[in-house]
Amino acid sequence: MIETSGATSARVSSRTAIVDCDIHANVPSVQTLFPYLPDYWIEHINQSLFKGPVESAYPPNAPVTARPGSIPADGRPAGSDLDLLRDQILDPLRVEIGILNCTYAVDSLHNPDAAIALARAVNDWLIAEWLDREPRLRASIVVPSQLPAAAAREIDRIGDHPGVVQVLLPARSHFPYGNRNYHPLWEAIARHDLVAGLHFGGVPGNPPTPSGWPSYYLEEYAGMAQVFQSQVVSIVSEGVFDQFPSVRVALLESGFTWLPSFMWRFDKEWRNLRRLVPWVKRAPSAYIREHIRITIQPLDVPPNPEHLLQIIDQIGSEELLLYASDYPHLHAADPEETLLRHLPETLVQKICNENARRFYRL
Ligand code: ZN
C-alpha cells in the first residue's frame, strides 16, 4: 500500500518544476494559418464555404472548454494566446516543460488534400508562433490520421524537429489504432522515436459510443473512457508493441481510475483466449505498464478520497501517471488538493516531472 504522508499543499508547492503533458494550443481562425498555406488553399477558403475544420470536441461555452480568465480580451478562443499561457500556467506553476496539443480537427475533413495541407500548416504555425517564441514549450504534431500513409509523410517531414515530441491522434478513429491499416503511422512514429498521444475527442464520423449515437454531450464526455479502453485493447492485441517495441503511447485527458479493473479484465481474457493472438507474449497489463502512460487531468475523484490512493496502488507502477493541467480546460477536481498532497514526495516527483522526462526523452 502507498503510505499517505501528512503533507500539506505548501510542501507540494515547494516541489521542483513540473512537466505539463497536456496544454492546449488552439488555432484562433483558419486565417491564422494563411502564412503557412499554399496559395491554392487560401484562394479556396476565401472563395468557397469551406473554412477549415469546424468540428470541435469542446463547445465554446462548456465549462470544460475555458477556465475563468483564459479567453483573450480580443475574443480569440481560450488557449490561443501565448502570453496568457505564460501568465496562467507556465510562470505560476513553474512549468519546466509544457507539451502543446492542438486538437485542430483535420480528421473530420473528407477532402484528403485539405486535411494534408491544413495539418502541415498547423504544424508550421505551432513551430513558428509557439515553439520558436517560448523555450519551455514542446509540441505534438497534427496529422491526417484518417490517411495513415499521408500522416507518416508529415511525421517524416517534421518529426525530427527538436521541439516535436509526440504525434497527436484523436481517441476516436475510423478503425481501432491497432488495425494494420495504421501500421505506416506506427512505423513513422517508431522511426522518429516519438510518442503517440491519444487525446480525448476525434471526429471520424462513426458514433462515439459502442452502442450508437448518444443524445447529449455529457454522454459523449463521460463515455470517452470506453473509447480509450477500446484503443488500448486494439493496440496491445494487434501486436503494435511487439512489432514496434520502441513505441510509447500516452493517453491524454482519458481519466485513469478505470485502469486497474480494465487491466484485471484484459489479463483474464488474455489468459482464456491468448491462442488467438500468439504474438501477444505477455499479459496485457505488462505491455501497458511498459509502453503506456496516462495524464492525471481530468481526475475522476471518488466520494471517499482514500479510494483514490487505493487506485494509485492498484495500478501497480509508479511510472504510469503524468502531470497535466489540461489548460485552458476546467475540471472539477484540483489534482494538488485531491491527489498530490496526499502522496509521498518521491511519487509526486515522478508524476510531476521524472515520468514524463523519461517517457518523452526530454
Ligand atoms: Zn487535453
Side-chain angles (χ1 to χ4, degrees):
M1 280 291 293
I2 287 174
E3 289 182 20
T4 60
S5 70
T8 65
S9 54
R11 184 183 61 75
V12 172
S13 66
S14 70
R15 66 177 183 264
T16 57
I18 64 173
V19 178
D20 188 339
C21 295
D22 190 16
I23 296 173
H24 287 268
N26 292 324
V27 177
S29 70
V30 72
Q31 285 78 17
T32 306
L33 301 178
F34 280 5
Y36 312 99
L37 279 171
D39 289 344
Y40 170 85
W41 284 108
I42 296 172
E43 182 180 332
H44 189 79
I45 289 166
N46 279 333
Q47 298 191 4
S48 75
L49 290 176
F50 177 69
K51 303 300 174 195
V54 293
E55 301 275 2
S56 172
Y58 302 98
N61 295 319
V64 292
T65 303
R67 64 180 68 183
S70 64
I71 298 177
D74 59 10
R76 284 175 295 144
S80 63
D81 187 287
L82 178 55
D83 288 331
L84 271 182
L85 174 63
R86 289 181 177 128
D87 291 345
Q88 297 192 323
I89 292 291
L90 299 183
D91 295 341
L93 290 186
R94 294 199 295 135
V95 171
E96 197 173 46
I97 295 173
I99 301 175
L100 295 174
N101 292 317
C102 177
T103 57
Y104 200 53
V106 296
D107 60 313
S108 69
L109 300 178
H110 295 285
N111 180 328
D113 299 316
I116 292 166
L118 284 162
R120 195 180 169 110
V122 170
N123 293 331
D124 290 342
W125 169 78
L126 280 170
I127 289 171
E129 303 198 22
W130 296 79
L131 299 189
D132 285 353
R133 293 172 56 198
E134 176 47 69
R136 287 171 289 187
L137 294 176
R138 304 290 184 275
S140 307
I141 56 173
V142 174
V143 296
S145 53
Q146 69 274 43
L147 304 162
R153 284 196 294 276
E154 179 62 4
I155 295 168
D156 285 338
R157 185 181 77 88
I158 210 137
D160 287 338
H161 185 284
V164 170
V165 297
Q166 182 163 250
V167 176
L168 197 64
L169 301 175
R172 293 178 54 206
S173 55
H174 288 77
F175 303 98
Y177 284 121
N179 187 293
R180 62 195 65 186
N181 285 322
Y182 290 108
H183 279 196
L185 181 56
W186 291 114
E187 283 170 6
I189 289 169
R191 200 156 51 237
H192 297 274
D193 197 26
L194 297 170
V195 170
L198 270 62
H199 191 280
F200 177 97
V203 197
N206 50 21
T209 82
S211 46
W213 288 99
S215 301
Y216 302 105
Y217 182 60
L218 167 64
E219 299 172 73
E220 181 171 345
Y221 201 98
M224 194 67 70
Q226 302 161 27
V227 177
F228 280 97
Q229 291 170 18
S230 70
Q231 296 289 11
V232 174
V233 169
S234 169
I235 290 167
V236 172
S237 301
E238 301 224 21
V240 170
F241 296 134
D242 299 276
Q243 195 158 347
F244 310 104
S246 67
V247 157
R248 291 102 70 206
V249 174
L251 308 183
L252 309 167
E253 212 179 311
S254 62
F256 67 85
T257 54
W258 48 265
L259 187 63
S261 62
F262 168 78
M263 290 196 293
W264 300 333
R265 178 181 175 85
F266 199 3
D267 282 359
K268 173 176 71 74
E269 302 306 343
W270 171 77
R271 282 193 289 274
N272 289 335
L273 299 169
R274 61 184 171 179
R275 283 187 180 82
L276 301 178
V277 288
W279 47 87
V280 181
K281 302 266 189 260
R282 297 177 289 156
S285 61
Y287 288 92
I288 290 170
R289 291 193 181 101
E290 181 179 340
H291 292 272
I292 293 181
R293 301 290 181 266
I294 306 184
T295 56
I296 61 170
Q297 191 69 295
L299 189 54
D300 304 325
V301 180
N304 180 347
E306 292 273 311
H307 294 164
L308 189 58
L309 302 175
Q310 291 174 6
I311 291 167
I312 299 279
D313 195 49
Q314 290 165 351
I315 286 174
S317 167
E318 295 193 347
E319 322 294 322
L320 254 70
L321 298 181
L322 308 174
Y323 182 90
S325 65
D326 199 25
Y327 179 85
H329 303 155
L330 179 66
H331 298 288
D334 174 0
E336 295 216 358
E337 278 302 310
T338 54
L339 178 65
L340 297 176
R341 68 188 293 263
H342 302 288
L343 299 178
E345 184 64 23
T346 52
L347 183 51
V348 172
Q349 292 286 339
K350 287 183 176 179
I351 293 172
C352 291
N353 194 306
E354 293 166 15
N355 289 349
R357 280 192 166 278
R358 190 171 300 117
F359 190 60
Y360 285 101
R361 315 209 198 292
L362 298 174

